[in-house]
Amino acid sequence: MTAQVDYLVVAFTATSGASGELLGSDEKDLVQLVWQLVNVNTKTLGRVNEILIRPDLSDSTEEKSDEDVVVECKEEDESSSGADCMYTAASLDSGLNMFNLQLTNEVNSAGAGTSLCLCTDGQLHIRQVIHPEAASKSIPVPDCFYSFFDLRKEFKNHFATSDLKALNAHVMAESLSLPVDVSSVWDPSANQDPLAVLPAEVAVQQVRLMTSIILSLLSEPYCHSFSNPERVNERFESGTCSKMEKVCDNTVIRARGLPWQSSDQDIARFFKGLNIAKGGAALCLNAQGRRNGEALVRFVSEEHRDLALQRHKHHMGNRYIEVYKATGEDFLKIAGGTSNEVAMFLSREDQIIVRMRGLPFNATHDDVLRFFSPEDGSKETCPISGEKDGMLFVRYPDGRPTGDAFVLFACEEHAQCALRKHKELLGKRYIELFKSTAAEVQQVLNRYSSAPLIPVAPAPLVSVLPSVSLLPPPGGVRDCLRLRGLPYTASIEDILTFLGEFTQDVRQHGVHMVLNQQGRPSGDCFIQMTSAERALQASQRLHKHMMSSQRGANSRYVEVFPCSTDEMGLVLMGGSLSHTHTHTHNRSRSGTGLSPPPCLSPPSYSFTPVQQILPTDAAAAAAAAALYPPMGQMLLAPRTLHPGHPYYPASAQLYMNYSAYYPSPPGSPTALGFFPAHSSMSSPGGLVRMPGLPYNGSGVKDLINAVQGYQGPVESVSLLNGSLVGQTGGGETPLMSLPLITKPGGHQYLDLTLL
């Protein structure tokens, strides 16, 4: 809009919460909307109109047919705010419709020009009140609310020395030497409680004062022209961002706590009223390539970024969203890309992106086209936009497929039809489908084409360790079973039921569930058997049989492989689980299905004498003391585990256990009541001390739960200065055989010492 408008609509809003510079920051509903029409050409004023919006009565059991009726009050009474016309509305929707209707009628009745634009004191009334509430309630907003004049910025064109953040209607009136009744006019800069609800007459006073300021600016000597209004983006535009692009640190925020299924359009709806830069909403992925509930959002200016920070802990559905400052570098790490192939793929605008995950490695473009082709007799169609040109397969730098792909659809209807094929089969694999974004495409491509942004495990603390293999030798007695693909709700009882007749061959406390970093089942389990022959028979008979869980309705087929105790111990000590079969006897080192734990000392699994890492002579010891501070000496001091541990080798020495996986308390048929326990106790009771407990624990209950599943009940427990002292009644596996569990991220661990 370059020419001056015919009418200015001076508007003022009030909510049921904070006012002034905190207006809209507390997510309270709009309760009052006051406006007055100003004829720019004739410099005349219309009547002052007021709409009062009742609180939301959605939970009321009363009939609402009469509540949507808007009532006009023509006569003022003692409680009137001073408006010429007052209306009441039952909801924001009816209030905005009434505003648009009355405004249109008044402009048409004037008969001199039709162009109009809103004018407010600052940005908050439109950007932080009208649009956010309407978006959260899915209410369409009239077109007139997508452009407005900020009276403060118009005033600053003539008073350049004024501080924009300190301006308000009261200050502008004083600068223009307009008569102001201090006793009756509300001054937001005065020492008033910004959280207090404004009196009803304040809004009318503010509108009358703003119209006086506008008439003064239109007159001599200013002769101001209202020609360049503020704009509110009607929709979010997706796009690409280059890593070479410069992103200002003062325009980026980090949103945390998003629902995992949220999209960039949901983020734009949460920040409705604020202008997000093109392609400026980037959802973050975790180390496994899944959304982690965070997003980086880039706005068009610092002013919009500051308004976004005021929406800290506003709600998206039932979840509150945390909003923090971020940097341009953070945004480029997530959304920036350099691939020409990706740029070409994302160059098409107005396309819906769908991510495919779990594709067979030999899948082709034709396979994907057939997957989305309509079934026989089905009327639903979801054609891929551009067919083969609308697909992007994600590959490793060496060209190997990752199992991920992105496809484009021309409209939302086709995309929703495609998403209904979620978990349908392509070949022998089910395919996961998710609605995606341009930033996620860049992030996935960046993750697979370079080093991971979030490392799964840190580099070893000691860089001088000898380069020896930490994997167990290919030989060894394979008297254990590895179960893979368990239902996540499966318990030890379900596993023993699955074993059937082989349950009697399970060793005492020989069932070890493997948990992931979050303490949840990983779908893997190790079982110690009495002999290698029975382990081999069990793997041959039970491999790919179905297992059901008592706590879940779903059944899954389970893969069963024989393995050795050393391989099992390697995983339970922090080695990672790969998806390579482990049942082949003539396997290479890369075919064991295992990788060494990242921070174990060399003697743990090398089975060969290794030279000492730290020197023993006095001179070298002094040099080592200078190299390593006390903390380093503590981390380098080997700690030998006690013999008799159920699954750690007796010779294992641990410098730091940064485990990608760790074991749960073991179980066995005798511990769970499948068979009676031995009547004779092979070891006497003992006193156990557990220093290093977290101070935020809930007490003895958590400690009793931690030792559940171990032979020998705890007879007495006492907490003392962050340590636990417990007395056991004896049994085959006393409390000292609990596994040493160290989770990533600096969590404390329990150090059990038998007293």
Side-chain angles (χ1 to χ4, degrees):
M1 187 181 300
T2 58
Q4 180 163 280
V5 295
D6 298 323
Y7 296 95
L8 288 178
V9 184
V10 181
F12 188 92
T13 62
T15 68
S16 59
S19 58
E21 298 304 314
L22 296 180
L23 180 67
S25 62
D26 53 1
E27 217 175 357
K28 296 295 184 180
D29 290 345
L30 177 69
V31 296
Q32 186 182 22
L33 174 60
V34 180
W35 79 93
Q36 186 177 17
L37 197 66
V38 178
N39 190 322
V40 176
N41 299 319
T42 63
K43 300 181 180 61
T44 57
L45 303 178
R47 59 188 181 183
V48 178
N49 302 274
E50 178 183 20
I51 293 180
L52 298 178
I53 301 176
R54 298 176 183 177
D56 187 12
L57 302 176
S58 59
D59 296 333
S60 174
T61 57
E62 300 178 1
E63 294 291 334
K64 297 186 180 180
S65 58
D66 295 333
E67 293 180 0
D68 291 334
V69 177
V70 181
V71 181
E72 179 179 357
C73 300
K74 297 183 180 180
E75 297 182 359
E76 299 182 10
D77 53 22
E78 296 180 355
S79 62
S80 173
S81 60
D84 300 324
C85 295
M86 185 174 68
Y87 311 89
T88 57
S91 63
L92 177 64
D93 189 13
S94 59
L96 294 179
N97 290 333
M98 174 54 62
F99 170 83
N100 192 41
L101 177 62
Q102 295 298 327
L103 183 60
T104 303
N105 292 338
E106 187 173 0
V107 171
N108 293 336
S109 63
T114 57
S115 62
L116 59 86
C117 187
L118 296 178
C119 182
T120 60
D121 180 16
Q123 306 269 319
L124 303 181
H125 300 275
I126 302 298
R127 297 192 185 277
Q128 296 288 74
V129 177
I130 299 291
H131 283 285
E133 183 179 349
S136 65
K137 297 180 179 179
S138 300
I139 296 174
V141 176
D143 294 339
C144 60
F145 286 101
Y146 285 97
S147 63
F148 67 98
F149 287 103
D150 184 349
L151 186 57
R152 300 182 184 184
K153 293 184 178 181
E154 301 299 321
F155 176 84
K156 189 174 174 59
N157 291 334
H158 301 280
F159 297 85
T161 58
S162 302
D163 184 4
L164 194 62
K165 295 183 179 180
L167 284 180
N168 55 58
H170 192 276
V171 173
M172 288 186 287
E174 289 183 343
S175 301
L176 294 170
S177 301
L178 297 177
V180 178
D181 187 356
V182 180
S183 61
S184 61
V185 176
W186 173 71
D187 183 6
S189 62
N191 293 328
Q192 300 176 0
D193 184 7
L195 299 178
V197 180
L198 290 179
E201 64 273 10
V202 168
V204 176
Q205 294 171 2
Q206 288 294 303
V207 168
R208 295 188 187 276
L209 184 59
M210 291 168 61
T211 55
S212 300
I213 296 172
I214 291 174
L215 291 177
S216 179
L217 291 176
L218 291 173
S219 305
E220 297 287 346
Y222 305 107
C223 299
H224 184 72
S225 175
F226 291 86
S227 56
N228 294 307
E230 298 277 324
R231 300 287 184 180
V232 178
N233 291 344
E234 296 188 28
R235 58 187 300 273
F236 169 72
E237 294 184 53
S238 60
T240 59
C241 178
S242 172
K243 283 188 176 293
M244 306 304 295
E245 185 176 347
K246 291 184 179 180
V247 178
C248 179
D249 291 342
N250 295 327
T251 61
V252 182
I253 62 96
R254 180 184 297 272
R256 187 162 61 191
L258 300 168
W260 67 268
Q261 72 273 26
S262 59
S263 65
D264 53 355
Q265 297 295 335
D266 297 321
I267 297 172
R269 189 179 301 111
F270 176 79
F271 290 108
K272 186 67 174 179
L274 307 178
N275 294 344
I276 300 176
K278 184 177 180 180
L283 295 163
C284 300
L285 306 180
N286 60 15
Q288 287 74 39
R290 302 176 185 272
R291 296 173 184 175
N292 62 1
E294 293 189 5
L296 289 165
V297 185
R298 177 190 179 190
F299 294 92
V300 295
S301 66
E302 182 179 358
E303 180 184 25
H304 289 239
R305 192 282 306 266
D306 293 340
L307 293 177
L309 292 174
Q310 294 185 14
R311 300 194 188 182
H312 179 60
K313 292 196 173 180
H314 283 203
H315 287 77
M316 180 185 290
N318 296 325
R319 298 176 65 93
Y320 71 84
I321 309 301
E322 301 174 2
V323 182
Y324 303 100
K325 291 182 180 180
T327 64
E329 183 181 359
D330 295 336
F331 181 81
L332 290 177
K333 284 182 178 179
I334 301 301
T338 57
S339 173
N340 293 330
E341 183 183 8
V342 177
M344 290 292 295
F345 177 77
L346 299 176
S347 61
R348 304 181 183 181
E349 298 184 357
D350 301 329
Q351 301 284 341
I352 310 300
I353 306 174
V354 172
R355 180 181 178 183
M356 305 180 69
R357 191 165 63 196
L359 289 169
F361 291 148
N362 58 351
T364 63
H365 292 81
D366 293 332
D367 295 332
V368 176
L369 287 173
R370 282 192 295 270
F371 178 79
F372 288 110
S373 61
E375 299 177 357
D376 296 338
S378 176
K379 297 182 180 179
E380 292 186 339
T381 59
C382 46
I384 298 176
S385 178
E387 295 190 346
K388 293 184 179 181
D389 293 335
M391 305 180 201
L392 177 65
F393 286 87
V394 183
R395 301 181 183 276
Y396 290 106
D398 58 2
R400 292 181 296 114
T402 63
D404 282 44
F406 294 92
V407 292
L408 295 176
F409 294 93
C411 61
E412 185 70 28
E413 181 182 358
H414 290 169
Q416 292 299 327
C417 176
L419 291 173
R420 284 192 282 271
K421 292 181 174 289
H422 179 60
K423 289 195 173 181
E424 289 191 7
L425 293 178
L426 175 58
K428 296 183 179 180
R429 297 180 63 91
Y430 70 84
I431 308 301
E432 297 177 289
L433 300 175
F434 307 95
K435 200 172 181 179
S436 187
T437 65
E440 185 174 0
V441 176
Q442 295 279 23
Q443 195 175 170
V444 172
L445 266 294
N446 291 341
R447 184 177 301 276
Y448 284 114
S449 62
S450 60
L453 298 176
I454 306 174
V456 178
L461 294 177
V462 185
S463 60
V464 296
L465 294 178
S467 56
V468 295
S469 174
L470 301 181
L471 287 174
V477 180
R478 307 174 67 79
D479 57 351
C480 299
L481 292 176
R482 175 186 171 189
L483 276 60
R484 188 170 70 194
L486 301 174
Y488 291 116
T489 57
S491 62
I492 294 182
E493 292 91 335
D494 298 325
I495 295 173
L496 294 175
T497 303
F498 172 77
L499 292 177
E501 64 179 273
F502 297 99
T503 303
Q504 60 185 354
D505 300 303
V506 178
R507 292 186 183 180
Q508 183 78 2
H509 302 289
V511 181
H512 310 290
M513 301 282 288
V514 182
L515 309 180
N516 61 16
Q517 295 180 0
Q518 289 75 36
R520 299 174 182 173
S522 65
D524 282 70
C525 173
F526 285 95
I527 302 175
Q528 291 177 286
M529 306 292 286
T530 56
S531 65
E533 291 76 12
R534 294 296 289 175
L536 180 60
Q537 293 176 13
S539 65
Q540 293 174 343
R541 191 173 303 178
L542 300 176
H543 184 57
K544 291 193 175 183
H545 280 209
M546 302 299 293
M547 175 188 291
S548 59
S549 171
Q550 299 176 359
R551 293 178 292 178
N554 295 330
S555 299
R556 300 184 60 175
Y557 75 84
V558 178
E559 298 175 287
V560 183
F561 311 117
C563 67
S564 66
T565 306
D566 295 330
E567 292 171 343
M568 178 188 69
L570 175 64
V571 174
L572 299 182
M573 286 286 285
S576 62
L577 294 166
S578 70
H579 295 283
T580 309
H581 287 192
T582 62
H583 65 286
T584 55
H585 294 282
N586 298 323
R587 67 192 189 285
S588 64
R589 187 57 54 94
S590 61
T592 61
L594 306 168
S595 62
C599 296
L600 289 177
S601 61
S604 300
Y605 290 101
S606 61
F607 298 95
T608 55
V610 181
Q611 60 181 0
Q612 294 183 349
I613 299 173
L614 296 180
T616 56
D617 58 278
L627 282 174
Y628 300 102
M631 177 60 69
Q633 293 177 1
M634 180 185 68
L635 291 173
L636 290 172
R639 178 173 181 267
T640 304
L641 299 179
H642 296 282
H645 197 278
Y647 40 77
Y648 290 165
S651 62
Q653 295 179 347
L654 189 64
Y655 290 107
M656 182 177 181
N657 187 8
Y658 189 99
S659 300
Y661 298 90
Y662 62 94
S664 67
S668 64
T670 55
L672 296 169
F674 275 69
F675 300 106
H678 300 287
S679 58
S680 60
M681 299 299 180
S682 59
S683 59
L687 190 65
V688 175
R689 178 174 177 266
M690 301 166 65
L693 295 176
Y695 288 98
N696 57 353
S698 58
V700 176
K701 183 178 179 180
D702 285 345
L703 299 168
I704 297 300
N705 292 337
V707 300
Q708 185 178 6
Y710 288 86
Q711 191 77 6
V714 179
E715 294 182 350
S716 63
V717 177
S718 60
L719 289 168
L720 180 62
N721 295 332
S723 299
L724 173 139
V725 177
Q727 187 172 2
T728 64
E732 288 194 34
T733 307
L735 287 179
M736 60 156 287
S737 66
L738 274 168
L740 173 64
I741 301 177
T742 305
K743 292 188 180 181
H747 296 289
Q748 288 182 302
Y749 60 90
L750 302 181
D751 183 8
L752 305 187
T753 307
L754 185 65
L755 302 180

